[in-house]
Amino acid sequence: MDVPIVRVNVAALLESARVGVDALRTNPLRSLLSTTGVVIGVAALVAAFAITDGVEVWSRALIARESSVQDVAVSPVTSRTVNGRTYAVRGYPVFTPDDAAAAGAEIPGVRSHVLTLTGTAPVEYLDRRASALLTLSTAGLAEFSGLPVAAGRFFTEPEVAHSAPVIVLGHQLATELAGTRDPLWLIGRAIRVRGEWREVIGVLAPPMVGAESDFVAFAPLRRGTILLEPTNAPRLATLRLKAKSIEAVDTLRSATIDWLAERYGRGVEKVTVRLATQQLENTRQAMLLTRLLLGFLVGLILAVGGIGIMNVLLASVAERTREIGIRKAVGARARDVHTQFLVESLMVTGLGSAIGFALGVVIAVAGTALFRHWLGSEIHPILRPATVLLAVLSAVITGVVFGTYPARRAARLSPVEAINRE
């Protein structure tokens, strides 16, 4: 079967473009005013999407840095509830630092790993006492959790291996224990943690305004520790693995489950693997809703701009009726006239979209600069290829949709009536 070949008359298109440019030059002010809606619409689209993309990248980095969204937490299951009754689970695996090291080396996609055990413990210095949320862990917790140390340092692997009697304090806990002195004054001094002396080797930076209280402390994890207050349920360490990226969390979870099944066999049924990606998912949904709302508003603005362009083209058809009649009388086809006005419409929208694109970039840069100045947030505009493509498609669709009716009206004019019309 023969495939029909569509031939494009490039010369006719160039001639239509030339005529369109002449028409724009004849009424520059009217042409510029007709593009106002397109300029505003494209500028709003580019600025809104560039800013929201920048906010999304910033929020993803913030969530990844200050939350456990990239973490996979593995914990033993010590009890189960069936029909409202709780039963104790026997034979669950108990993770050790050796298990954590093996997981970090054997599970693909692990960026870092740590073993933690958390509970409460009384701390005191001289006559001042407080209750702290104490986390016992292997080395590397500061880097794993992004804990900022104001002064001093975190404990090292040799200190964990030798159960060194050291401790790192949260800033507010150090402030409470130091009394009228500077909290950093405690570094190098010994405090009592549930009756055991520990040297303070570091103090965390103050928490951000509005953040939760940091009555926390961190010490090396060791077997048979008595630092944590006893509870009815057994205290068991949690194995925490960090993925190389947020997108790799699900893959790391699957690899972790496979590793657990190979290492513990049927004991894997007595282990729970948890993710903390809900916060990121909420952020994604909020960004998506914002984009949909902005896209709807931009669509309305472009529609208004398209109506303005259609009115200008209809006026142009009325003014150039004799010209259209003469062109058709000397051999121009209806398709040629239709193409001429459609190209003219595309040129008007193209001009408006180019101005709007440049204006949108300026607005995005200025808007994010204000965010950085007022809010202290490192937000920068991000211009993705999809945003550029969307701006171009918006201009083309607006030109075609709202230029079709004036073009068809011009193409249907009778040559005799058009020439006789003043």
Side-chain angles (χ1 to χ4, degrees):
M1 183 177 65
D2 295 333
V3 179
I5 301 176
V6 179
R7 293 182 174 86
V8 178
N9 193 333
V10 178
L13 289 177
L14 292 177
E15 178 63 19
S16 298
R18 186 191 64 78
V19 174
V21 171
D22 292 340
L24 294 177
R25 290 175 179 175
T26 303
N27 298 287
L29 181 59
R30 186 175 68 180
S31 301
L32 183 62
L33 292 176
S34 68
T35 63
T36 301
V38 176
V39 170
I40 296 175
V42 173
L45 185 149
V46 172
F49 278 58
I51 292 176
T52 53
D53 285 339
V55 171
E56 181 180 5
V57 170
W58 170 78
S59 62
R60 284 165 62 90
L62 180 66
I63 292 172
R65 185 174 64 252
E66 299 188 2
S67 72
S68 57
V69 70
Q70 285 182 230
D71 296 1
V72 174
V74 185
S75 303
V77 176
T78 60
S79 63
R80 284 195 174 94
T81 301
V82 180
N83 297 328
R85 298 185 63 181
T86 301
Y87 298 90
V89 175
R90 306 294 181 187
Y92 47 78
V94 178
F95 298 122
T96 65
D98 292 338
D99 295 325
E106 299 172 4
I107 300 178
V110 176
R111 193 180 77 183
S112 57
H113 64 277
V114 71
L115 193 66
T116 61
L117 180 61
T118 302
T120 57
V123 295
E124 56 183 296
Y125 179 73
L126 300 179
D127 60 340
R128 304 187 69 84
R129 295 175 175 80
S131 178
L133 182 65
L134 177 61
T135 298
L136 308 177
S137 75
T138 53
L141 180 62
E143 293 78 11
F144 187 96
S145 300
L147 299 174
V149 180
R153 61 179 178 83
F154 241 78
F155 43 84
T156 62
E157 289 187 9
E159 288 173 326
V160 174
H162 294 87
S163 301
V166 295
I167 194 168
V168 178
L169 303 179
H171 195 274
Q172 291 183 351
L173 177 60
T175 301
E176 178 70 19
L177 295 178
T180 57
R181 299 182 178 89
D182 188 286
L184 304 184
W185 176 82
L186 285 175
I187 295 178
R189 289 172 169 79
I191 66 172
R192 291 174 66 90
V193 182
R194 201 161 179 259
E196 182 178 310
W197 290 102
R198 291 262 166 169
E199 179 188 353
V200 179
I201 60 173
V203 175
L204 299 185
M208 297 178 61
V209 177
E212 296 181 0
S213 173
D214 69 338
F215 272 79
V216 295
F218 306 89
L221 177 66
R222 69 182 186 186
R223 290 181 178 274
T225 181
I226 59 173
L227 289 181
L228 302 178
E229 292 182 334
T231 59
N232 294 329
R235 289 193 183 277
L236 299 172
T238 297
L239 173 61
R240 296 172 60 188
L241 308 173
K242 187 174 292 292
K244 295 180 179 180
S245 65
I246 295 175
E247 289 75 15
V249 172
D250 290 333
T251 302
L252 177 58
R253 179 181 182 275
S254 300
T256 301
I257 293 175
D258 293 340
W259 178 81
L260 290 169
E262 182 179 350
R263 189 176 183 88
Y264 298 102
R266 295 184 60 85
V268 71
E269 300 175 356
K270 301 173 183 178
V271 173
T272 178
V273 180
R274 301 189 307 274
L275 304 179
T277 54
Q278 187 60 44
Q279 187 177 3
L280 178 63
E281 187 61 30
N282 293 339
T283 302
R284 287 174 177 169
Q285 292 180 359
M287 290 297 176
L288 178 60
L289 290 176
T290 301
R291 289 183 180 182
L292 290 176
L293 177 60
L294 291 173
F296 176 73
L297 295 177
V298 167
L300 291 179
I301 296 174
L302 288 175
V304 173
I307 293 173
I309 292 174
M310 184 172 64
N311 289 333
V312 169
L313 290 178
L314 288 174
S316 178
V317 171
E319 293 174 356
R320 296 156 60 188
T321 301
R322 285 179 60 84
E323 172 195 334
I324 296 170
I326 293 173
R327 288 195 65 196
K328 298 186 74 172
V330 298
R333 295 169 298 178
R335 186 174 63 184
D336 297 329
V337 177
H338 185 278
T339 302
Q340 173 189 334
F341 279 89
L342 198 57
V343 169
E344 185 174 332
S345 173
L346 289 174
M347 293 187 66
V348 172
T349 55
L351 175 64
S353 64
I355 298 174
F357 185 87
L359 182 60
V361 172
V362 173
I363 294 174
V365 172
T368 52
L370 291 177
F371 290 159
R372 294 193 299 271
H373 177 71
W374 288 340
L375 304 177
S377 303
E378 286 299 318
I379 301 175
H380 299 273
I382 295 179
L383 195 60
R384 302 185 188 276
T387 302
V388 179
L389 180 61
L390 187 59
V392 173
L393 288 178
S394 299
V396 172
I397 292 173
T398 302
V400 171
V401 170
F402 292 94
T404 297
Y405 175 69
R408 292 181 62 184
R409 185 169 178 177
R412 290 177 177 177
L413 287 175
S414 169
V416 176
E417 294 179 1
I419 293 174
N420 293 331
R421 187 180 302 177
E422 294 294 335

